[in-house]
Amino acid sequence: EAGAERQVRTEYATGEVQLFEGEKGAERLVRTDFLDGTIKHHEGARGSERVVRTAYADGRLKHFEGEMGAERKVRTQFPDGGTQYYEGERGVERRVRTQFPTGNVQCYEGAQNLERLVRLRFPSGEVQFYEGELGAERCVRREVAGRVYFYEGEKGAEAVVRVVQATTETRLKAMRVTELREECGRLGLVTTGVKADLVARLRAYRSAPVPQCIPR
């Protein structure tokens, strides 16, 4: 009706198109289309619309979190089913994990563009641990079928030097501080402290008796 018209669409000479929703005077930007096929999705009240998702013509889909102007990338989905996860503030987001369609999961540490592989998990339960700078990561430990294999040597030339049974104690002592903290976080335990504190915390958790159901 006259006097109640609301903005729903704005087209620019560059080919960019913005779409809006909401009542007159409160229209909020919900989507921006670009000529190259990129589509940005927005959420939030008028004047504070933040980018939450960007879809690309090649099938990639990036997800963002944070207020307008500080949106940081937290996840990228690929057409093949793979997903990469990120942490860090806008502009310095670093890759921390990649999940592949096969079920393999790679974990990384390091600053943006210097992320190095530190752990590789397989659907079978096997876990491989790596050390070294980006491009020179070498396997130093492998846990599989109840055993822990220790390796030495440069990337591509790693050789087994020791094999032990994968008891809880062996695994905890072999894990690095970052791995111990991740495990504590996964179990809902406190993640602060030095390695000895983390090992003690996990040891206590795993040795605690399992609560029994009380018959009614």
Side-chain angles (χ1 to χ4, degrees):
E1 295 180 4
E5 303 92 338
R6 63 186 190 279
Q7 181 182 15
V8 296
R9 180 185 180 100
T10 300
E11 298 183 4
Y12 297 90
T14 59
E16 178 181 332
V17 178
Q18 293 183 334
L19 304 178
F20 298 82
E21 291 182 358
E23 297 304 311
K24 181 179 180 179
E27 301 95 327
R28 63 191 185 279
L29 176 65
V30 296
R31 174 170 160 169
T32 303
D33 294 2
F34 298 88
L35 276 179
D36 63 1
T38 300
I39 300 174
K40 288 186 176 182
H41 297 267
H42 308 261
E43 290 183 1
R46 180 176 180 173
S48 60
E49 301 95 325
R50 62 192 183 277
V51 178
V52 296
R53 192 168 64 255
T54 299
Y56 296 89
D58 61 8
R60 286 178 299 139
L61 188 62
K62 292 184 179 181
H63 298 262
F64 299 84
E65 292 181 0
E67 297 305 309
M68 184 176 69
E71 301 96 326
R72 61 190 184 279
K73 181 172 59 176
V74 296
R75 188 169 74 254
T76 299
Q77 294 175 290
F78 296 89
D80 65 1
T83 305
Q84 290 183 345
Y85 296 85
Y86 303 83
E87 292 181 359
E89 296 305 309
R90 178 177 181 173
V92 292
E93 301 96 325
R94 61 192 185 279
R95 181 175 49 165
V96 296
R97 190 169 77 254
T98 298
Q99 292 184 344
F100 295 90
T102 58
N104 294 354
V105 178
Q106 291 185 343
C107 299
Y108 309 86
E109 291 181 2
Q112 185 185 66
N113 299 324
L114 294 174
E115 300 96 330
R116 60 191 184 279
L117 176 66
V118 295
R119 190 164 58 257
L120 172 58
R121 296 181 183 274
F122 297 90
S124 63
E126 177 181 342
V127 184
Q128 296 178 358
F129 300 84
Y130 295 80
E131 292 182 1
E133 295 305 309
L134 176 64
E137 302 97 324
R138 62 190 185 280
C139 182
V140 296
R141 191 168 87 250
R142 178 170 165 253
E143 297 178 3
V144 59
R147 293 185 177 182
V148 181
Y149 297 79
F150 294 87
Y151 294 81
E152 289 184 2
E154 297 304 309
K155 179 178 180 179
E158 300 97 325
V160 177
V161 295
R162 186 160 56 101
V163 181
V164 298
Q165 288 299 120
T167 63
T168 297
E169 193 65 22
T170 299
R171 291 188 65 252
L172 291 177
K173 288 183 177 179
M175 293 171 73
R176 301 190 305 173
V177 172
T178 52
E179 297 163 1
L180 291 166
R181 284 180 176 152
E182 182 179 282
E183 184 69 3
C184 284
R186 187 181 69 82
L187 296 172
L189 305 175
V190 177
T191 60
T192 57
V194 297
K195 181 171 182 175
D197 298 330
L198 298 166
V199 168
R201 203 168 291 141
L202 288 168
R203 186 189 295 126
Y205 176 89
R206 292 176 178 175
S207 62
V210 178
Q212 300 296 316
C213 293
I214 300 175
R216 294 185 177 181

